[in-house]
Amino acid sequence: MFTDRTVDPALKSLWIGRKTSSHTLDQSGVWRFRELLPQIPEEHAITLREGNTPLYELPRCARIAGVDSLQAKHQGMNPTASFKDTGMTFAASSAHQQGFSWVACASTGNTSASMAAYAARGNMRSLVLIPEGKISWGKLSQSLDYGALTCQLRTDFDGCVRILNELVRRKPVYLLNSVNPYRIEGQKTAAIELLEQLGWEPPHHIIVPGGNLGNSSAIGKALLEMRDLKLISRLPKLSIIQAQGANPFYRCVRELGGSRLDPMTAETQATAIRIGNPASWKKALRVLRETGGEVEQVSELEIAEAKAEIGADGVGCEPASAVTLAGLKKLRGAGFVKRNETVVLILTGHLLKDPDFTIKFHRGDLFAGTPHEREAAHARPLQRAPIVLDADLGAVIATLDAAEKAT
Ligand code: F0G
């Protein structure tokens, strides 16, 4: 299935050269690296020109976190606005190659949006199982517009996965959850592209959010493969951050020494990572250990503050992605990350994925009626609620003057 893994010294220049090619596959930031992926014939390739995502400096966040330089690879700049597209282009193409007419996934919203888009592009039908009431409107609206058969089940993500696993035994649908090996292969390219953007000079640290743990497994796999192929000379430490209320992997590593993972009922407003029984925990554990990374957990308030801080750097991301900055602050505080070390955060989803969260945060409503209500006062300096005024020039000028004075 795999291509010949012998290193071609010209690979790096071949890949960079494809950036100016008009060939469809070369214009994808995934298929551009096809020498490191399983072979899928071109006539089955379904691509939306995914990948090719920017690497941004985050100067204000760097100051806040206490590091000299901080960069973010923004996977939310993919066609359906999340990192899922890099794996989905590949796995959907594999479904097409195998002749499936239906594909299916359980999702917290981003996988389903991505799958629905790629299925539509490949003339396949898609079945989405999502937890009722616990995904953002932005993500739900995507799967509707892309034409998926969307079922909101009265359960959580883990309950959706259970039903889906039963379903694939009864019906000829192709499973597109992140346990699908083609998803992992496609998602590897985020790390390959990152290293290319860094001139093949590995950062000291890469920090990712952890939910079902497919992404960390994929990035870790890519790092190990690049090291083995001598495309890079040393491994970055890959650290994984979870929300405190959805922290089964954190507890597995910190409390159980990696011996087992105890599933839990997950609760967090970062709904993308509201996952209590991650499928790929063993793979994630392996990459954590092989790269020497750390696992950390962050509170709801820390997530919300970090999200606003990433926004204030003019970049922005969805809540689940912001755990990376929140986690970096903790890893820096604990001395695991040093001031002069280079750090890259993987931002997994776009700011516009979850506008409800953002608006509630800035209006000061996000934690109303939750156990975090009192500590939430700490976030007030970051909140910028909209100001409703009469349509009156004087009122606008007075507001502008007041803002000027306050800074
Ligand atoms: N960030 C975002 C924005 C996500 O949507 C997800 C997962 C993660 C991080 C965690 O990545 O699961 O590979 O560890 N979303 C999945 C979904 C579960 O269904 O959209 P992971």
Side-chain angles (χ1 to χ4, degrees):
M1 178 165 91
F2 288 85
T3 46
D4 180 7
R5 294 280 169 130
T6 326
V7 205
D8 177 348
L11 266 184
K12 290 177 182 174
S13 52
L14 175 71
W15 292 335
I16 205 91
R18 284 179 180 153
K19 284 188 135 183
T20 53
S21 157
S22 57
H23 182 213
T24 306
L25 289 192
D26 293 346
Q27 289 184 0
S28 159
V30 172
W31 296 84
R32 195 159 68 80
F33 300 105
R34 51 193 174 271
E35 284 72 19
L36 296 197
L37 303 176
Q39 272 175 337
I40 294 180
E42 187 167 350
E43 68 266 27
H44 296 293
I46 306 167
T47 172
L48 285 161
R49 318 296 191 275
E50 52 291 312
N52 300 317
T53 57
L55 184 64
Y56 294 126
E57 290 284 344
L58 298 181
R60 289 174 207 225
C61 293
R63 274 197 300 281
I64 293 166
V67 289
D68 293 338
S69 137
L70 177 61
Q71 290 180 294
K73 176 128 178 91
H74 207 325
Q75 293 299 91
M77 298 297 182
N78 267 294
T80 76
S82 87
F83 74 102
K84 304 289 181 179
D85 294 342
T86 56
M88 202 55 76
T89 179
F90 218 68
S93 301
S94 156
H96 191 269
Q97 184 187 9
Q98 294 173 59
F100 280 92
S101 49
W102 278 92
V103 295
C105 73
S107 180
T108 56
N110 277 328
T111 300
S112 45
S114 182
M115 179 188 76
Y118 282 87
R121 298 293 296 176
N123 289 317
M124 296 179 289
R125 300 196 64 193
S126 61
L127 169 69
V128 162
L129 302 185
I130 46 174
E132 208 258 330
K134 293 290 182 183
I135 80 163
S136 76
W137 292 120
K139 298 173 190 178
L140 176 60
S141 63
Q142 283 181 289
S143 79
L144 302 182
D145 238 24
Y146 299 139
L149 174 61
T150 304
C151 300
Q152 294 188 269
L153 304 188
R154 289 187 199 92
T155 178
D156 55 12
F157 170 79
D158 302 292
C160 292
V161 171
R162 277 196 294 278
I163 304 262
L164 183 67
N165 287 339
E166 290 294 317
L167 180 85
V168 292
R169 282 190 218 126
R170 305 269 289 271
K171 290 284 182 187
V173 297
Y174 186 73
L175 184 71
L176 275 178
N177 270 54
S178 65
V179 290
N180 181 306
Y182 289 89
R183 291 255 328 263
I184 301 282
E185 289 298 315
Q187 270 173 227
K188 284 188 329 194
T189 58
I192 306 172
E193 187 177 78
L194 168 66
L195 267 298
E196 182 186 67
Q197 286 166 314
L198 294 170
W200 303 100
E201 183 57 43
H204 294 101
H205 297 274
I206 297 178
I207 302 181
V208 292
N212 215 18
L213 300 172
N215 196 31
S216 25
S217 308
I219 290 176
K221 187 169 192 281
L223 295 175
L224 296 171
E225 287 182 8
M226 284 189 281
R227 193 254 335 251
D228 293 347
L229 290 169
K230 302 198 167 41
L231 291 167
I232 52 174
S233 53
R234 60 178 171 80
L235 284 175
K237 294 187 171 96
L238 181 66
S239 292
I240 301 173
I241 317 295
Q242 293 208 294
Q244 219 158 10
N247 65 352
F249 186 63
Y250 172 86
R251 289 190 294 126
C252 157
V253 176
R254 291 282 186 106
E255 291 165 19
L256 304 169
S259 58
R260 61 169 204 277
L261 181 132
D262 291 342
M264 65 185 289
T265 302
E267 196 47 80
T268 169
Q269 297 205 64
T271 51
I273 50 173
R274 191 171 171 271
I275 295 172
N277 190 12
S280 300
W281 71 271
K282 285 187 181 156
K283 285 187 198 149
L285 184 64
R286 202 174 316 130
V287 300
L288 198 72
R289 288 187 168 156
E290 290 212 39
T291 67
E294 210 15 307
V295 58
E296 203 29 283
Q297 62 173 355
V298 291
S299 72
E300 294 294 291
L301 182 60
E302 287 166 334
I303 295 171
E305 288 181 323
K307 190 175 109 58
E309 285 159 355
I310 294 168
D313 248 327
V315 171
C317 63
E318 70 162 281
S321 311
V323 302
T324 53
L325 177 62
L328 168 62
K329 291 186 213 170
K330 287 195 150 174
L331 295 175
R332 177 73 189 97
F336 181 74
V337 174
K338 314 272 183 301
R339 172 172 282 282
N340 62 352
E341 287 183 322
T342 47
V343 183
V344 176
L345 309 179
I346 306 293
L347 301 182
T348 45
H350 197 281
L351 171 65
L352 294 177
K353 282 281 191 176
D354 195 350
D356 262 9
F357 181 109
T358 310
I359 290 170
K360 280 189 190 154
F361 174 79
H362 287 290
R363 286 197 169 139
D365 302 338
L366 190 63
F367 298 109
T370 76
H372 314 287
E373 201 162 354
R374 283 190 59 193
E375 45 170 339
H378 190 257
R380 231 168 258 147
L382 287 163
Q383 287 164 353
R384 289 168 284 272
I387 302 158
V388 180
L389 300 171
D390 287 332
D392 173 66
L393 177 62
V396 176
I397 289 176
T399 306
L400 186 65
D401 289 344
E404 179 71 23
K405 226 183 260 168
T407 47

